[in-house]
Amino acid sequence: MSSRAEAGQSALQQKQLGEEDNQNRPRESVLENNGYLLQETVGTGAFSNVKRAYSKTANQTVAIKIISKQKATKDVLNKFLPREIDLVRGLRHTNLIRFFECIETTMRFYIVMEYAENGSLLQLIRKEKSLSEERAKSYFKQLIDAVEYIHSVGVVHRDIKCENIVFDQRFTLKLIDFGFARGNMKPLVSGEKMKPILSKTFCGSHAYASPEILKSIPYQPQLSDIWAVGVVLYTMVFGRLPFANENNVSLLIKQVSAGPKFPKDRGASDNCKDLILKILRPVNLRISVEEMRNHAWLNEPHSNCDDSEFEKKMKLDPTLEENPDEHIRKLIHCKFCKENKDLQCTTVQKLYNRKKAGPKKF
């Protein structure tokens, strides 16, 4: 190769590197100009990734979902993403991930939201194989709180699954990813009856999809959300999906129509199984969130914690009385909670509520 050709090729390579730098630089400068310092990647998708970041303005860690306009489909850019941003702006609930702001450039969307330090429910189940009924019950109560709230304001999620459930620093459950969500879905009043608004968009994961979605018939999305929370409950308790043939829809429909089977190698109480069966059944028989709340399994007393032993620990460690935050940080729990490493035990909540009412707020 001649020296002139080599020089030309070198100049071309430098130009390409310069173009790559220019493509990367706006992302950093746009976020930096808005007070965000990007850190590591915590999640990836087909056309997006999620990075942890530090907000200098708010002095806290946040998560930033970065969506590439070049990789995303037209439906995502023109339909689902604008709808998602519009919906999450107006949602406020303890068990929903909090939205902070959206930044748009010519190349990308940046959705800034609350950071969930303790990962997803899917990661937790993979790590621990399955959850105790008491722990599953605590998370399930929070999940149906979130679902009941969004339904009350006319929003349906349509993609509830273990991957879209995360935990913050205190292991409070947060429902995330409203990419397939839709608003203005409150049933209409027709005479003395409520007429539901049906959905014809068949979205979400097959493993969590209700029979009506799998059969591609118009469906009431609130009831399909309820089906999905039933799949989540089953997965928490048994450590596996109730219906696993995602790639064969015909076989999956047969499994779903037959109802869930309970594995013999993992026990569960009769009340827990009964609730699962009442959720994972045909749409005309499916239990409502209100009926779930009144179900025996969700109203059983907490049997795994020894309150008296917990109170002894409080007396032995004076810092717990003086500083309940120190208790939260040290995770000094009763035997059950010590194993599970979370803050959902009722005895911990008793301490939390008692101290919250005292002179020190936290």
Side-chain angles (χ1 to χ4, degrees):
M1 183 181 291
S2 67
S3 59
R4 180 179 297 179
E6 288 176 352
Q9 187 172 356
S10 176
L12 178 62
Q13 289 174 344
Q14 289 179 358
K15 181 180 179 181
Q16 289 173 340
L17 289 172
E19 289 174 352
E20 290 177 2
D21 288 342
N22 288 335
Q23 288 177 356
N24 291 330
R25 195 172 296 121
R27 182 172 72 183
E28 296 173 356
S29 63
V30 165
L31 292 176
E32 287 174 357
N33 288 339
N34 283 272
Y36 298 108
L37 300 178
L38 277 182
Q39 298 171 355
E40 75 274 13
T41 299
V42 294
T44 58
F47 49 82
S48 66
N49 59 61
V50 180
K51 288 184 175 287
R52 190 162 70 104
Y54 176 73
S55 170
K56 293 187 288 185
T57 306
N59 189 28
Q60 70 180 65
T61 300
V62 298
I64 301 181
K65 185 177 182 180
I66 305 171
I67 301 158
S68 169
K69 290 183 176 180
Q70 292 177 317
K71 295 180 181 179
T73 65
K74 289 184 179 180
D75 271 350
V76 168
L77 293 177
N78 300 327
K79 179 180 178 182
F80 291 110
L81 185 58
R83 182 188 289 172
E84 176 184 6
I85 294 170
D86 184 55
L87 288 177
V88 296
R89 287 183 195 277
L91 296 175
R92 292 287 184 275
H93 191 274
T94 303
N95 299 118
L96 298 182
I97 209 74
R98 187 178 174 189
F99 167 86
F100 293 128
E101 68 171 322
C102 179
I103 302 168
E104 181 180 3
T105 68
T106 56
M107 300 291 290
R108 299 174 183 87
F109 283 97
Y110 305 93
I111 300 178
V112 185
M113 52 196 161
E114 181 182 2
Y115 178 62
E117 293 91 335
N118 281 304
S120 72
L121 177 59
L122 179 64
Q123 292 171 325
L124 182 64
I125 294 171
R126 283 177 174 171
K127 179 183 176 182
E128 302 192 13
K129 308 305 180 186
S130 63
L131 307 184
S132 69
E133 281 193 38
E134 290 299 337
R135 197 175 186 191
K137 185 184 301 183
S138 174
Y139 294 154
F140 186 73
K141 285 180 179 179
Q142 294 177 72
L143 177 58
I144 63 174
D145 279 350
V147 171
E148 184 178 51
Y149 165 74
I150 63 173
H151 288 179
S152 72
V153 295
V155 174
V156 290
H157 191 279
R158 301 197 299 183
D159 196 21
I160 295 173
K161 55 185 178 182
C162 293
E163 297 94 313
N164 287 339
I165 296 168
V166 297
F167 302 100
D168 69 4
Q169 186 179 14
R170 291 180 171 176
F171 269 92
T172 300
L173 179 146
K174 305 283 183 177
L175 182 61
I176 65 168
D177 199 343
F178 282 72
F180 288 128
R182 184 177 171 185
N184 300 314
M185 293 297 288
K186 276 189 176 182
L188 303 173
V189 178
S190 179
E192 296 180 356
K193 296 182 179 181
M194 300 294 287
K195 184 179 180 182
I197 301 174
L198 302 182
S199 180
K200 297 178 182 179
T201 302
F202 305 103
C203 47
S205 169
H206 281 164
Y208 294 82
S210 62
E212 52 272 25
I213 289 179
L214 293 173
K215 293 175 183 177
S216 298
I217 59 177
Y219 62 96
Q220 187 175 347
Q222 291 89 344
L223 297 180
S224 291
D225 278 352
I226 288 174
W227 174 278
V229 303
V231 175
V232 170
L233 174 57
Y234 183 105
T235 307
M236 285 194 289
V237 174
F238 295 104
R240 67 198 73 173
L241 290 163
F243 314 108
N245 290 293
E246 287 193 64
N247 296 324
N248 188 328
V249 177
S250 298
L251 184 56
L252 188 55
I253 290 173
K254 289 181 181 179
Q255 288 184 350
V256 165
S257 299
K261 301 292 189 294
F262 299 112
K264 295 180 180 179
D265 62 338
R266 176 68 173 89
S269 68
D270 290 340
N271 280 339
C272 180
K273 291 178 182 178
D274 182 70
L275 177 56
I276 291 171
L277 290 171
K278 286 180 176 175
I279 300 173
L280 301 180
R281 62 183 182 180
V283 64
N284 59 317
L285 299 173
R286 202 168 301 157
I287 194 172
S288 67
V289 172
E290 184 178 356
E291 289 170 324
M292 289 182 207
R293 291 191 187 284
N294 295 324
H295 192 274
W297 186 67
L298 287 182
N299 291 284
E300 290 171 347
H302 193 298
S303 59
N304 294 67
C305 294
D306 185 347
D307 287 9
S308 60
E309 180 183 346
F310 184 75
E311 294 292 338
K312 288 178 185 177
K313 287 184 179 181
M314 287 179 58
K315 291 177 182 178
L316 290 173
D317 189 347
T319 62
L320 299 184
E321 288 291 347
E322 296 168 5
N323 185 4
D325 285 331
E326 187 66 22
H327 161 75
I328 297 300
R329 282 194 294 271
K330 289 182 177 180
L331 294 176
I332 301 176
H333 296 340
C334 59
K335 182 178 179 182
F336 166 72
C337 292
K338 200 168 186 179
E339 293 172 355
N340 287 302
K341 303 292 184 188
D342 67 40
L343 301 179
Q344 300 308 323
C345 171
T346 53
T347 51
V348 175
Q349 289 300 319
K350 286 179 184 177
L351 173 70
Y352 183 89
N353 293 334
R354 188 164 68 213
K355 293 302 179 183
K356 191 174 181 181
K360 182 174 179 60
K361 304 290 184 182
F362 69 102

